[in-house]
Amino acid sequence: MSRLIRAVIDIQALRHNLNVIRARAGRAKVIAVVKANAYGHGLVGAALSLRGADAYAVARLEEGLALRAAGLSKRIVLLEGVFTAAQLEDAADERLDLVVHDACQIELLERAGNADRFALWLKLDTGMHRLGFAPREFAAALARIRALSPAPRELRLMTHLACANERNERITGEQLLRFRDATRGLDYETSIANSAGVFGNFAPGCQWVRPGLALYGASPFEDVSAAQLGLKPVMTLTSSVIAVRRVPRGECVGYGSDWTAARDSQVAIVAAGYGDGVHRSLGAGSPVLVNGQRAALAGRISMDMLAVDVTGFTAVQVGSPAVLWGEGLPVEEVARRAGTIAYELLCSVSQRVPLEPR
Ligand SMILES: *Cc1c(COP(=O)(O)O)cnc(C)c1O
């Protein structure tokens, strides 16, 4: 019996994508975003493969500590910063850069009196209204940071774009304008662009970019494929056929007997289900590659299995490979079928699925 479900991680593709981003980002330094287990690709493995990046970014303290514990010594930015004095100490001990987006975080720094142990990224909210200081609060926040004694070791400014992936040039343009207004005359390095910012039509002209999704070989845009951007898929979620059934015309397949064979059919059962992170919202007709050929899902996805209509396919047998997404089947396409985005599919590959570097 051949291997069941696993996520094959193409290290060369990861490095290739980093190079494509670098070429695109000009002289900007690249912060490789590896939050959420490197978008499902394995935090430490991905970070090690991305040693060519200038820095890493994660969302939470624990992710930063895990990278340090694995021996990574590069700059690590905590995108949500820290929220308690104990976390602040851990961040200092492990030399983690902090994003400062809320007054309570400035207060922590004031109380601790050790800002010289930190490189800080002060975040301006230019319109996403998630994290950051509003433009009218920004000058005061900056003044408090500058008044810290001892002074922070380094200080940079950043913001985050809400609509770069949707090519909403009006909103993105407005955000860039607000950033420029608030930071005019200030002599700090800046960071704005996520993946969509790197590949979009805007050139924010910052010293640092923060790509995530593009590193993993998916396109942030609806209307441009990853291949068109020169990116290669990194994760291929692959499993095997564990049974091949003949289903007579008029018989049904799966829970709820949702799918009815319109003809005498051949159905392959694949060892992959929502327990592995294959979204149950993928309906009948969604693509699966069986033996490298596109086939269509038949019926509802179960926890550990799904059924694929392989009528007329030759040579499908127990052990035949079945690809859920990745090489030959872009995760973006599968995500659209599931009514979601590539980010969510990649992140939701579950713990029981082994990651296999290739
Ligand atoms: C997740 C994140 C990124 C990376 O975004 P992608 O769209 O995956 O490139 C960049 N910056 C911040 C603040 C983020 O939270």
Side-chain angles (χ1 to χ4, degrees):
M1 181 65 210
S2 52
R3 313 254 336 265
L4 300 184
I5 192 162
R6 60 210 184 273
V8 178
I9 306 298
D10 184 343
I11 306 291
Q12 290 311 319
L14 199 52
R15 298 215 175 100
H16 165 87
N17 296 337
L18 175 60
N19 290 336
V20 170
I21 290 165
R22 259 205 195 292
R24 182 79 202 191
R27 283 208 303 269
K29 295 194 177 115
V30 178
I31 304 175
V33 179
V34 293
K35 63 194 181 192
N37 200 29
Y39 294 46
H41 293 67
L43 173 65
V44 170
L48 287 170
S49 307
L50 290 167
R51 265 184 292 232
D54 299 292
Y56 303 108
V58 292
R60 315 224 169 116
L61 175 66
E62 288 68 25
E63 300 170 315
L65 298 180
L67 289 176
R68 286 286 183 253
L72 286 143
S73 56
K74 239 170 222 158
R75 180 188 298 277
I76 298 173
V77 183
L78 295 191
L79 293 171
E80 294 174 3
V82 294
F83 301 94
T84 68
Q87 290 178 341
L88 192 70
E89 269 315 295
D90 283 346
D93 290 344
E94 298 299 333
R95 292 172 300 108
L96 304 176
D97 283 25
L98 299 181
V99 169
V100 176
H101 58 79
D102 189 274
C104 75
Q105 296 173 321
I106 300 183
E107 217 168 284
L108 274 182
L109 287 162
E110 287 168 345
R111 284 227 188 93
N114 61 357
D116 56 331
R117 300 183 72 191
F118 291 103
L120 302 178
W121 299 71
L122 186 61
K123 187 165 189 176
L124 176 66
D125 175 12
T126 50
M128 181 145 176
H129 302 315
R130 196 175 60 175
L131 296 184
F133 293 91
R136 70 190 137 68
E137 309 162 338
F138 188 67
L142 180 60
R144 273 177 85 183
I145 295 283
R146 282 170 135 169
L148 286 170
S149 173
R153 190 155 48 74
E154 298 168 22
L155 178 59
R156 297 184 177 81
L157 308 178
M158 67 180 289
T159 192
H160 193 48
L161 299 174
C163 297
N165 57 318
E166 284 163 24
R167 298 187 185 283
N168 188 323
E169 319 233 319
R170 188 184 60 76
I171 293 182
T172 304
E174 176 67 27
Q175 285 198 264
L176 296 179
L177 204 64
R178 288 178 187 173
F179 191 77
R180 224 166 285 139
D181 278 350
T183 61
R184 180 163 298 128
L186 297 174
D187 191 21
Y188 296 107
E189 289 184 347
T190 55
S191 176
I192 298 178
N194 56 1
S195 296
V198 170
F199 288 96
N201 297 328
F202 291 92
C206 298
Q207 291 76 22
W208 297 80
V209 294
R210 310 186 306 271
L213 189 70
L215 285 170
Y216 308 103
S219 169
F221 307 115
E222 277 282 331
D223 57 339
V224 185
S225 70
Q228 285 171 314
L229 297 176
L231 302 169
K232 296 181 181 169
V234 174
M235 179 196 293
T236 297
L237 187 63
T238 183
S239 189
S240 298
V241 171
I242 57 169
V244 184
R245 330 276 328 211
R246 294 167 35 81
V247 179
R249 186 163 72 92
E251 289 291 311
C252 299
V253 171
Y255 284 118
S257 298
D258 251 7
W259 187 86
T260 307
R263 53 185 173 175
D264 288 343
S265 299
Q266 189 182 35
V267 167
I269 307 300
V270 174
Y274 59 79
D276 301 301
V278 183
H279 283 219
R280 189 170 170 283
S281 54
L282 284 167
S286 294
V288 176
L289 297 183
V290 179
N291 275 346
Q293 268 184 284
R294 282 175 89 96
L297 264 179
R300 292 184 197 163
I301 291 177
S302 308
M303 186 181 289
D304 311 297
M305 287 173 262
L306 52 81
V308 187
D309 181 2
V310 290
T311 308
F313 286 38
T314 54
V316 175
Q317 56 191 21
V318 170
S320 292
V323 168
L324 286 311
W325 65 68
E327 243 181 89
L329 181 55
V331 65
E332 299 94 313
E333 180 185 342
V334 180
R336 268 194 292 278
R337 299 292 305 227
T340 184
I341 51 177
Y343 296 82
E344 192 184 14
L345 286 194
L346 294 172
C347 286
S348 56
V349 171
S350 62
Q351 285 266 308
R352 78 170 178 187
V353 176
L355 300 176
E356 191 176 285
R358 184 188 65 196

